[in-house]
Amino acid sequence: MFKLAIRSTRLAPRSTYIFRSLATASSTSPNIPATQKAIVFDQHGGPLQYKDIQVPKPGPNDILVNIKYTGVCNSDYHIWKGDWAIKPQLPLILGHEGAGVVVAKGENVSNFQIGDHAGIKWVNSTCQSCEFCQESHESSCPSQTNSGFSVQGTYQQYCLANADQAAHIPKDVDLAKAAPLLCAGLTVYKALRNANIRAGQTVAIIGAGGGLGSLAVQYGVAMGYRVIGIDASNKKEHVLSKGADAFVDFSSKVGVPEQVLELTEGKGPHAVINVSNSVQAYNEAITYVRPTGTVILVGLPQGGAKLESDIVMQTLRAVNIKGSVVGNRADTREALEFFRRGKVDSPVKIVGLSEAPDVFKLMEDRKIMGRYVLDTSK
Ligand code: NAD
Ligand code: ZN
């Protein structure tokens, strides 16, 4: 006791003061309202209600972000429908592509200041100490929390995020275009890295016209690969405008494997990344990927979907099949940096937050090209 009392009167080293002053500097901006608009649902596939709810208060390790824009990912649609074996807590606010401004922070937060631009991703927090976190595979942490799934997401004007996992968005980056990079951009950048191919080699992107696909084509080109985009015929122009070297129409009478083999001198692409929900497309990819090549699993079909692979052929052709889920904090920073440097564009269509149900309808009808982003002020 006595020892402690004496120690507390001693001057702390200068670095400690700097640390504390950062951590306790203005922790709330004025004018945070008590209530806000959000999209909430309380049963799977049920109404997406645009309504007033309380603005949450940050815990010690949180930042409160005034979300300006939030992307609509196909995963949000699956989560709303309850398509997967794992289910969220209800009622739920969806969203994991939120970009905005930090307006409050908890007492332990020193890496964000009020007024900084921040991004909220699928991985909201991790334990930071398991073997996966230690090796930077944060998206495999068994204790992770996920935005718009196990914690409330970004289809609201004010959203909480764990400060360690939240992304720093440089101030010269457009927040509407940054939003989709926090899931779609990050995920495809990581998937391309996981494909482990070299500049000049060929990658086929299945679902090239959608939110993830439109970015995958561009990151692939920026990383030096030859890109074959695969999607429905109405998306051909869009996919080619994003830089794809060739387009394959999956709805054509000629099968996708035949078309892709024709474009690759009968050898197949070095990697195939499937960002569609199609199980058939997965199973075909295993047959036409080049021997020793890699099929990357990104698209998440309905729960229970199975891969079918001829074991002997897969073994003799030495085909790799690899799952890829979002990416870590370094991947996030790098994915944003490609955009900041003008190496990829983020093709967005901006509509109001209240229009989220209409966007889901377009998604159902496969009419989406690029990414829809919700403006939370409308
Ligand atoms: P989206 O609806 O914007 O795009 C999907 C695209 O696939 C559409 O353009 C559609 O026309 C196309 N498509 C459908 N069937 C096809 C087929 N047989 N062949 C070729 N193209 C086909 O969806 P999105 O937001 O880009 O998400 C895509 C998938 O990725 C979803 O399943 C989503 O849940 C998943 N996802 C996974 C991760 C991860 O970390 N693994 C992260 C984000 C999203
Ligand atoms: Zn997503």
Side-chain angles (χ1 to χ4, degrees):
M1 269 309 267
F2 182 64
K3 252 189 170 172
L4 269 178
I6 287 179
R7 284 184 76 176
S8 70
T9 60
R10 280 170 53 188
L11 282 176
R14 191 172 154 68
S15 61
T16 314
Y17 285 121
I18 292 167
F19 232 70
R20 283 201 189 131
S21 69
L22 278 176
T24 54
S26 171
S27 58
T28 305
S29 79
N31 309 325
I32 300 174
T35 61
Q36 57 158 335
K37 293 287 185 201
I39 296 275
V40 186
F41 73 98
D42 49 26
Q43 64 188 75
H44 287 297
L48 292 156
Q49 306 154 53
Y50 179 62
K51 62 185 211 179
D52 292 303
I53 61 161
Q54 294 289 313
V55 171
K57 298 237 180 308
N61 303 315
D62 296 332
I63 52 174
L64 179 67
V65 182
N66 176 201
I67 301 290
K68 300 293 185 192
Y69 298 97
T70 178
V72 180
C73 181
N74 193 251
S75 300
D76 299 335
Y77 177 84
H78 290 299
I79 295 164
W80 168 56
K81 284 281 192 181
D83 278 346
W84 300 332
I86 47 162
K87 309 264 187 243
Q89 293 285 325
L90 301 178
L92 183 69
I93 300 168
L94 294 163
H96 54 267
E97 288 187 349
V101 181
V102 177
V103 291
K105 59 179 194 157
E107 66 206 36
N108 296 340
V109 176
S110 57
N111 62 335
F112 279 98
Q113 303 305 322
I114 305 303
D116 283 356
H117 290 184
I120 300 185
K121 323 180 268 101
W122 172 248
V123 175
N124 191 286
S125 69
T126 65
C127 76
Q128 311 272 16
S129 61
C130 69
E131 69 174 270
F132 302 104
C133 285
Q134 282 178 24
E135 304 217 5
S136 303
H137 299 306
E138 298 152 10
S139 45
S140 296
C141 170
S143 310
Q144 69 189 281
T145 63
N146 300 112
S147 313
F149 189 78
S150 55
V151 297
Q152 301 299 357
T154 54
Y155 289 18
Q156 56 179 332
Q157 292 173 314
Y158 292 88
C159 186
L160 293 176
N162 174 275
D164 288 337
Q165 277 295 335
H168 286 269
I169 301 178
K171 286 233 169 114
D172 57 350
V173 166
D174 177 337
L175 287 175
K177 284 178 175 274
L181 304 177
L182 297 160
C183 173
L186 162 65
T187 301
V188 299
Y189 172 61
K190 181 66 163 197
L192 285 159
R193 290 192 56 203
N194 276 334
N196 207 15
I197 54 177
R198 292 195 300 276
Q201 295 186 326
T202 303
V203 60
I205 310 290
I206 306 171
L212 270 67
S214 301
L215 285 160
V217 168
Q218 296 182 74
Y219 278 99
V221 171
M223 291 160 89
Y225 311 137
R226 175 179 177 234
V227 176
I228 300 174
I230 307 173
D231 210 308
S233 57
N234 62 330
K235 305 200 181 175
K236 179 174 179 176
E237 262 180 50
H238 173 79
V239 171
L240 292 175
S241 77
K242 296 292 153 248
D245 295 276
F247 181 81
V248 165
D249 171 10
F250 81 83
S251 52
S252 150
K253 283 205 186 93
V254 184
V256 169
E258 290 82 355
Q259 294 185 68
V260 175
L261 286 168
E262 165 110 39
L263 288 166
T264 51
E265 295 156 339
K267 294 180 189 158
H270 300 84
V272 184
I273 296 181
N274 185 12
V275 296
S276 84
N277 292 329
S278 169
V279 180
Q280 183 185 339
Y282 269 124
N283 291 330
E284 287 177 349
I286 300 167
T287 68
Y288 65 71
V289 70
R290 189 175 289 230
T292 74
T294 304
V295 176
I296 301 280
L297 321 182
V298 176
L300 297 161
Q302 291 215 336
K306 299 275 188 297
L307 280 178
E308 277 176 27
S309 165
D310 181 312
I311 295 171
V312 173
M313 287 316 289
Q314 190 190 328
T315 307
L316 296 182
R317 297 176 70 244
V319 166
N320 306 289
I321 300 179
K322 209 167 175 181
S324 188
V325 57
V326 290
N328 64 24
R329 287 172 287 180
D331 299 315
T332 311
R333 178 171 39 74
E334 290 166 18
L336 280 165
E337 189 58 12
F338 269 79
F339 173 73
R340 199 185 67 77
R341 291 176 51 226
K343 299 296 175 193
V344 300
D345 184 25
S346 175
V348 294
K349 187 153 179 13
I350 302 173
V351 297
L353 178 64
S354 60
E355 294 172 70
D358 304 333
V359 180
F360 280 0
K361 178 76 180 75
L362 289 171
M363 211 164 237
E364 249 166 24
D365 299 342
R366 286 200 193 146
K367 287 197 177 140
I368 290 192
M369 281 186 247
R371 199 54 136 196
Y372 271 78
V373 164
L374 308 173
D375 173 346
T376 64
S377 69
K378 296 181 199 154

